Amino acid sequence: MSRSRAAARARWARGLPALLALALPPGLAWAETPMDRHLPVALTQTAPPLDPLDPAWDAAPATTIGLFPQATAPDGPGGAVLDLEARLLWGDGRLALRLAWPDATADLVDTRATHRFADAAAVQLAPAAPTLPYVGMGEPGRPVAIWLWRAGGGAEGLSAQGFGSLTNDPGSQPEAKARRTATGWALVLRGPFSPEVAALAVAAWNGSEDGRAGRKRLSAWRRLESPGAEAGGDLSAEAETAGDPARGEQLFARHGCGACHGPDASQGPKLTHAGGIHWPGYLRRAIAEPEAFRVPGFTAVMPALPLSREDTDDLVAYLMSLR
Ligand code: HEC
């Protein structure tokens, strides 16, 4: 761990009220910090396998990735897939990602039925840059590549610079192979890959339970980490928070943030899972420069308040504790 990273982690830890951590059952107390949000990538000599049952997958470390409802999705929050297991292999210019998750029924693409929906999974790839794009399909000037798989329908490669800007990306067509397991799906998505990719986020839909397209669950960005090459660039500034969450909660009330973001408000996106989906750097930008990026589906009514850097950090630390 580099010194700046260790310092960032220490700053993060200082913000965590020790008593709160002790009072919460293990697993609820900030089990994952943004600095832990990495995904190990194992290297292979040859192209990584497409078959999810290939024994070569045993060499890739397994990471459990939590998925959170996307509160800002046009069709409302929801989503039945709570987490999935990810393994990554990189070799011969290609990245293969094996995802496994529970799903009792296989819902396949059926073009004749308009009221049935297929199981699906998507991977977003973020380019190396000091800041990560908005996790819900990127933002203007911060594009993401997307690999989308639908059960029975194969995979397609897309790119987006914000919600509703999906275009086909001929340069990044992935292959996919899925298998039913005893508990659900095992899927491999394999596509062209360069070390210029910094981070990856995943989403999954359960066709029979989620129905509408917006009812998915989404992960936060995960920084890719491979032995040797430090893929992913330096995201330590993006992960840094020096704030005090208890003071942040007071500031949230004092500045009336809940008028738009509270449980009964509809003007702003719900922030109930902000810490599950977002990184501190994104939240800092959203608070300090609301005009710089508008969350899809909302109007630009978020006020730019004259907050000090300390106040902003405290608000960010509070929001990071919500998930
Ligand atoms: C007048 C209503 C209003 C108030 C008050 C308000 N916001 Fe917002 N906020 C919004 C809207 C609308 C959006 C989405 C549109 C945009 O991004 O500008 C938003 C976006 C956000 C986001 C990004 C959320 C996401 O899901 O990506 C954060 C974080 C945020 N606000 C925090 C705050 C904090 C902290 C305060 C108090 C200091 C606050 N807001 C006060 C309306 C408001």
Side-chain angles (χ1 to χ4, degrees), residues 248-258 315:
E249 185 170 11
Q250 293 164 5
L251 289 168
F252 195 83
R254 196 188 308 156
H255 289 293
C257 312
L315 282 163

Side-chain angles (χ1 to χ4, degrees), residues 181-217:
T181 62
T183 53
W185 288 107
L187 164 73
V188 171
L189 279 165
R190 182 175 73 180
F193 183 68
S194 81
E196 297 301 299
V197 172
L200 174 160
V202 292
W205 294 258
N206 177 342
S208 43
E209 284 183 62
D210 294 344
R212 295 163 296 165
R215 286 178 58 84
K216 65 165 181 242
R217 280 180 171 250

Side-chain angles (χ1 to χ4, degrees), residues 49-50 97 172 235:
L50 192 56
L97 174 78
S172 123
L235 290 173

Side-chain angles (χ1 to χ4, degrees), residues 6-309:
R9 192 192 283 266
R11 277 194 296 276
W12 172 278
R14 234 177 285 137
L16 193 150
L19 278 173
L20 178 74
L22 286 176
L24 288 170
L28 272 182
W30 271 354
E32 178 199 80
T33 75
M35 288 325 285
D36 294 331
R37 280 182 182 161
H38 61 268
L39 262 186
V41 184
L43 301 180
T44 54
Q45 299 294 327
T46 52
L50 192 56
D51 187 342
L53 302 184
D54 192 297
W57 284 107
D58 297 341
T63 308
T64 303
I65 301 184
L67 303 185
F68 298 87
Q70 196 184 357
T72 55
D75 291 325
V81 185
L82 305 186
D83 51 45
L84 34 75
E85 185 209 80
R87 293 171 192 262
L88 278 89
L89 288 172
W90 172 20
D92 196 25
R94 280 184 284 180
L95 180 77
L97 174 78
R98 182 190 192 275
L99 299 175
W101 69 98
D103 183 344
T105 53
D107 300 299
L108 306 184
V109 170
D110 179 349
T111 47
R112 287 158 307 171
T114 48
H115 296 289
R116 283 184 40 216
F117 294 87
D119 299 330
V123 178
Q124 289 185 92
L125 303 165
T131 52
L132 290 163
Y134 178 63
V135 71
M137 292 201 191
E139 55 189 284
R142 292 198 181 102
V144 297
I146 299 173
W147 296 347
L148 171 68
W149 165 83
R150 283 183 299 165
E156 50 189 324
L158 304 158
S159 70
Q161 295 203 31
F163 194 81
S165 70
L166 269 183
T167 50
N168 196 278
D169 182 356
S172 123
Q173 290 306 311
E175 306 159 274
K177 188 170 177 66
R179 299 250 197 188
R180 289 295 290 168
T181 62
T183 53
W185 288 107
L187 164 73
V188 171
L189 279 165
R190 182 175 73 180
F193 183 68
S194 81
E196 297 301 299
V197 172
L200 174 160
V202 292
W205 294 258
N206 177 342
S208 43
E209 284 183 62
D210 294 344
R212 295 163 296 165
R215 286 178 58 84
K216 65 165 181 242
R217 280 180 171 250
L218 181 71
S219 79
W221 286 115
R222 295 282 190 135
R223 191 166 48 93
L224 296 181
E225 243 173 30
S226 59
E230 168 115 343
D234 184 6
L235 290 173
S236 52
E238 193 76 347
E240 185 186 322
T241 166
D244 170 356
R247 188 166 172 275
E249 185 170 11
Q250 293 164 5
L251 289 168
F252 195 83
R254 196 188 308 156
H255 289 293
C257 312
C260 297
H261 293 290
D264 302 320
S266 57
Q267 263 187 301
K270 298 264 177 293
L271 298 174
T272 359
H273 299 279
I277 294 184
H278 297 303
W279 280 55
Y282 169 76
L283 295 173
R284 209 156 25 236
R285 284 195 299 284
I287 297 169
E289 312 161 45
E291 70 290 345
F293 169 65
R294 195 162 51 76
V295 178
F298 293 90
T299 49
V301 293
M302 164 108 181
L305 295 168
L307 297 163
S308 66
R309 169 75 195 213

